[in-house]
Amino acid sequence: MAELVIRNLVKTYGDHRVVDTINLKAETAELVALLGPSGCGKTTLLRSIAGFVPISSGSIEIDGRDVSKLAPNKRNTGMVFQNYALFPHMSVAENVAFGLAMRKVPKSEIEKRVAHALDLVSLTDYAERRPRALSGGQQQRVAVARALVVNPDVFLLDEPLSNLDAKLRMSVGMQLRALQQKLGLTTVFVTHDQKEALMMADRLVIMRAGRVVQEGTAEHLYQEPATRFVADFLGHSNVLTGTPVEGGFRTDGGIKLPSASTDGPRVLAVRPENLLLGGETEGVETVLDATVETVTYLGSITEASLLLPGGERVVAHHQNRTGRELHLAVGDTIRVGWRTNATQLLIDDMSEAA
Amino acid sequence: MALSATDLKRGGAASALLLPATLLVVVALVAPMLTLLRYSFNAYDPIMLMRETFTLENYARFFAEPYYHEVILTTLAVAFGASFGALLLGFPLAYFLARTKSRYKSLLVVLVVFPLLVGNVVRAAGWIALFGSQGILNVTLIKLGLIESPLEIMYTDWAVIIGTLSVVMPFMVLSLQSVIENVDFSVVDAALNLGASRFQAFRLVFLPLVMPGVTAGFALIFILCMNAYATPYLLGGPGYKMMAPALYEQISVISNWPFGSALAFILMATTVLATLVVTRVVRGKTV
Ligand SMILES: Nc1ncnc2c1ncn2[C@@H]1O[C@H](COP(=O)(O)OP(=O)(O)OP(=O)(O)O)[C@@H](O)[C@H]1O
Ligand SMILES: [Mg+2]
């Protein structure tokens, strides 16, 4: 196992900087999730670590050794491809044995290690089958076993759960995480599904247009997003556009709100669960009269979309504890409020791009 | 599996759709073949041309006359030579065409197919003009004093092999290209990722995946070569010993339909047999 360090990595296709000056570190046994919208360069970054994409500049170090000029077969990474890329003309056991055979491991040891790897992913009974005769989940496990059996320094996964149905995704993801922790694998995991990332990763790296926008633990990113993009990408956030003014923030709709002061273009963000309704607004800094536009009862929470006096729309989540149920009807006027410390003034990195 | 009523109905509709093609095959292929097969057991008569009988004489003649042994061996050698040559030369080109992301790809494909637009008679005539003993090349070389007598390029085995090869090349490239395009190259990446060298990835993963398609393409081209007529005739000269010209000569020059028919069936049987052997050998190697 080893540490992965990426410095100032750039990959350009023509004039297009698909990966733009990325710095990234994965500690030994750490699982880092690369998260970002489609086309932001996640796969390109992962494939450049594996050596399939020749990089334009920067360096990739595995265990202190610069591998960025090495051919893919000299890097000792273990990759699980999005479509699994199993060898269709070989049995499951032959697939798993392939990497060991390439490393000239003696036959008897290959047998032992293949058996062990298949056991790890509970596929012992399927050793002689062809990949085609396996379910999607089983194929995924073969791909995992095949990548792991060679003891890779870095384990690379490109959306390994995206070809599984929603029900399976959760349990396979948990198993994968358990395996990664058990074996202490340094892992980079690509996904555009935030649930997957939250469920599996030690650390999340949010990417956008080839750059890292922010990185940190799931909690850190959720509670202290650096920009509007991050707040919006991880969970939902109510965003009020406007300008910072003396002692607060004036929304474009003309409501003045108290908030920490900053300058420069900002938006005010409040998470739906931090919007307080009705009696809960007692004693909070901001209280407004809003009109209820839609109400959706979701069991543990009720989701309401509200129209603020300034014309903005926000979404509130009310926790339905016994005795605190909320009875809302469309068209009602209700007090909505929030604490200043539950709001964030975020850099607006969405309007310029749009 | 039990067939339900709807299956049967659908089966009926499907058969109806197959009918025109089936009719065409029967009228254009099966009926003429059966006729020829029957002819091949008839006897040749210098006056009546053909006499109804049932004899194996025509087949016996083929096996008895060394001339025809040479004809069939030349046919096999030319067909193998041209198909293997087309495979070796066509594979890299097909690979490039299948893998390129260039926006000129369709233009390149058109260029590959372009020779098909020039019929092989026209092309062969061009070659004679260029490479014949009175052709541009020889005349120029003699004038330059580089050679004294014209080079024998035309009317040799090599002229026929290279000519046939160039005729079948577009078919070879197109069939290989479609085979290669169907390969999911992430498996090659997976092999490299697992420590295989480029050569190992090619031999252990890529080749086994394309081999069935390559074999099918090769067989198709081999069959075309076995039956080549115009190219051997024009580039090998009128006396060139290959099966298709020989049997054409029997039928339309000498009007010996029985022997010509027998030659046709021997050519067909040899082609089928050789194709089977080649595909067997290749399969045995990869599986
Ligand atoms: N070989 C290539 N040539 C040119 N552009 C490319 C090439 N490969 C990728 N790109 C471009 O690079 C960008 C990033 O692609 P990449 O596959 O890394 O995105 P991604 O983040 O993995 O997206 P997704 O979530 O959809 O898989 C895209 O705009 C893509 O069009
Ligand atoms: Mg991707």
Side-chain angles (χ1 to χ4, degrees), chain B residues 79-199:
Chain B
F80 269 116
S83 330
F84 263 118
L87 179 63
L88 291 182
L89 295 176
F91 197 91
L93 181 55
Y95 187 88
F96 173 78
L97 282 178
R99 294 288 278 159
T100 183
K101 292 198 175 82
S102 162
R103 58 201 147 124
Y104 300 114
K105 174 170 173 168
S106 34
L107 185 72
L108 292 171
V109 173
V110 170
L111 280 180
V112 167
V113 186
F114 188 75
L116 295 178
L117 301 180
V118 183
N120 42 16
V121 177
V122 175
R123 190 172 359 181
W127 284 25
I128 293 170
L130 202 55
F131 299 121
S133 50
Q134 304 298 317
I136 296 172
L137 183 71
N138 274 318
V139 171
T140 316
L141 289 180
I142 291 172
K143 276 204 178 137
L144 288 175
L146 292 173
I147 50 172
E148 280 175 12
S149 55
L151 294 174
E152 240 351 288
I153 303 173
M154 298 304 301
Y155 309 133
T156 62
D157 288 335
W158 285 109
V160 177
I161 290 181
I162 293 171
T164 312
L165 186 157
S166 79
V167 171
V168 296
M169 191 67 150
F171 297 110
M172 184 60 108
V173 171
L174 290 184
S175 91
L176 292 179
Q177 184 200 343
S178 85
V179 169
I180 295 170
E181 264 170 3
N182 277 324
V183 172
D184 167 18
F185 273 84
S186 65
V187 296
V188 176
D189 284 348
L192 294 174
N193 181 251
L194 289 165
S197 65
R198 289 193 155 274
F199 177 71

Side-chain angles (χ1 to χ4, degrees), chain A residues 47 50 52 72-73 77-79 81 83 85-90 98-99 102-103 146 150, chain B residues 184 186-198 200-201 204-206 208-209 287:
Chain A
R47 290 176 60 82
F52 298 125
N73 55 337
T77 63
M79 182 144 171
F81 292 78
N83 65 353
L86 299 177
F87 307 130
H89 57 299
M90 297 182 195
F98 189 87
M102 293 303 108
R103 284 166 174 75
R146 186 179 70 174
V150 299
Chain B
D184 167 18
S186 65
V187 296
V188 176
D189 284 348
L192 294 174
N193 181 251
L194 289 165
S197 65
R198 289 193 155 274
Q200 285 170 317
L204 299 173
V205 175
F206 178 73
L209 292 181
V287 175

Side-chain angles (χ1 to χ4, degrees), chain A residues 39 41-44 82 158-159 190 192:
Chain A
K42 306 178 296 288
T43 298
T44 307
Q82 188 168 0
D158 191 357
E159 310 207 15
V190 163
H192 58 240

